[in-house]
Amino acid sequence: MFRKSIIFLFIIFFLSANLFAKESINITAYSAVLMNTWNKKVLYAKNPYVKLAPASTTKIMMALVVLKKSELSKNVNVSRCATCMPPSKVDIKKGEVYSTEDMLKAALLNSGNDASVALAESVAGSEKEFVRMMNDMAKKIGCRNTVFKTSNGLPAKGQYSTAYDLALIMREAVKDKRLLDILRIKETEITELSSGRHIKLRNHNKSLWKDTSYLILGKTGYTIRAKQCFVGYIQYDKRHNVIVVMLRGKKLWPDLRELAGKGRKLF
């Protein structure tokens, strides 16, 4: 009887400790996940399986497909369709030619919707076919509640994902050092290969300019429906790093600072 009582008290203490840990994190994001990069263990979750608009965090899935199906040195020819995308865009022009690497920088740093479509067409011939590839790869990764309709995350009927699925996608993406190298860039410029025209880029991830004991790499996203979103990777040291996802937030950077600051304590 005494032993059962001890076990019961231990269970209550364990559950209370977990509840306290979750309640101690105060964020505006409607949905969020912190996931151990090494073993997929969820360290913190808030509405992780709710289907929501992913906005430009979609571009991580786009980049993952490009990196697996193409080469950074491959030339990308810009179509009229790509140039017609609404902002955010980097104003590439019809007929211009860029390297795949430069188009990835434009899509991931400046969230170029035009660059995303140019990449999709370069890899698959059409954005529609490329999106099919995105969905196929998402399923292979283990995403059960994700449907992409665009390569760039622009609003589309029937397009959704979850914080948990996006964490799985980011976890797969960070296995590629080339992606991490691009996400580390604060500012750069890309060059059109025929004319030599330069386009300056500046990373939308404001965390790169913060003086902290950890490094946050990732992709922002925003639409009126999706609100403020972020999918990223927090590196504390060689042993401790997490995937972070936030969807439908109101205060992106304070939320991210809150999660990053307390994330290591959850290991």
Side-chain angles (χ1 to χ4, degrees), residues 71-234:
E71 298 293 334
L72 292 180
S73 59
K74 180 184 176 181
N75 287 352
V76 175
N77 296 286
V78 179
S79 70
R80 182 178 181 278
C81 178
T83 65
C84 290
M85 291 296 107
S88 295
K89 57 194 297 184
V90 293
D91 291 320
I92 51 179
K93 303 182 185 303
K94 178 185 176 182
E96 288 187 327
V97 181
Y98 295 86
S99 70
T100 292
E101 182 174 10
D102 275 358
M103 283 292 90
L104 279 172
K105 291 175 182 177
L108 294 174
L109 274 59
N110 272 55
S111 205
N113 293 322
D114 45 1
S116 296
V117 172
L119 284 165
E121 293 175 337
S122 173
V123 171
S126 69
E127 186 182 23
K128 182 178 180 180
E129 177 60 20
F130 184 83
V131 170
R132 184 192 66 76
M133 295 166 66
M134 289 171 62
N135 286 316
D136 286 347
M137 190 170 293
K139 289 178 182 178
K140 291 179 181 178
I141 292 171
C143 301
R144 298 181 178 180
N145 296 292
T146 294
V147 175
F148 294 114
K149 296 289 185 177
T150 67
S151 64
N152 47 32
L154 283 170
K157 185 178 180 180
Q159 178 166 258
Y160 58 83
S161 189
T162 67
Y164 182 79
D165 280 5
L166 289 169
L168 293 179
I169 291 169
M170 188 66 189
R171 179 175 180 268
E172 182 68 22
V174 300
K175 294 177 183 178
D176 195 318
K177 183 179 180 297
R178 296 172 297 174
L179 177 74
L180 293 179
D181 287 343
I182 291 175
L183 293 177
R184 289 176 188 272
I185 299 171
K186 291 182 179 180
E187 295 177 301
T188 189
E189 62 180 25
I190 59 175
T191 305
E192 200 280 317
L193 297 178
S194 300
S195 67
R197 182 171 80 98
H198 298 298
I199 299 176
K200 292 184 178 180
L201 304 176
R202 182 179 173 87
N203 202 318
H204 287 187
N205 176 15
K206 295 180 180 180
S207 299
L208 293 175
W209 281 267
K210 302 295 183 180
D211 184 16
T212 59
S213 61
Y214 47 79
L215 173 68
I216 302 179
L217 306 177
K219 181 72 194 73
T220 59
Y222 176 82
T223 66
I224 293 175
R225 179 187 171 198
K227 305 302 180 187
Q228 295 180 342
C229 306
F230 188 83
V231 172
Y233 170 76
I234 306 175

Side-chain angles (χ1 to χ4, degrees), residues 15-27 44-45 258 262 266:
L15 292 176
S16 298
N18 278 335
L19 181 62
F20 176 80
K22 290 181 180 180
E23 289 183 341
S24 68
I25 293 179
N26 184 23
I27 56 175
Y44 169 81
E258 172 80 358
K262 295 179 179 178
L266 298 174

